[in-house]
Amino acid sequence: MTDDDPDAQDRELQDLAADMREHGRSWTDIAHDLALPEVTVKRAVDHAHQRAAELAARDQISLF
């Protein structure tokens, strides 16, 4: 993480929450571990999934 990218910490948190969810953790457990409200954790996971889908779409386009 650098000072040039102020959103890097948010993306790292989003990715961490998404990874925890993919490993079967409950929303409540993730929220507790990250000391965040459950709704914030759900939004973070949604953002991580959206970024991953956008990246996959860009990669798919570049294959053609």
Side-chain angles (χ1 to χ4, degrees), residues 14-63:
Q14 293 166 357
D15 291 343
L16 175 61
D19 187 51
M20 293 169 79
R21 184 67 181 161
E22 288 171 9
H23 283 90
R25 302 286 303 277
S26 72
W27 292 116
T28 303
D29 287 345
I30 297 168
H32 179 266
D33 289 352
L34 298 178
L36 294 170
E38 194 170 314
V39 69
T40 302
V41 170
K42 289 179 180 180
R43 283 191 199 130
V45 171
D46 287 342
H47 285 284
H49 288 158
Q50 182 178 355
R51 273 195 343 277
E54 289 170 356
L55 180 60
R58 281 193 300 259
D59 287 347
Q60 189 70 6
I61 291 169
S62 66
L63 292 174

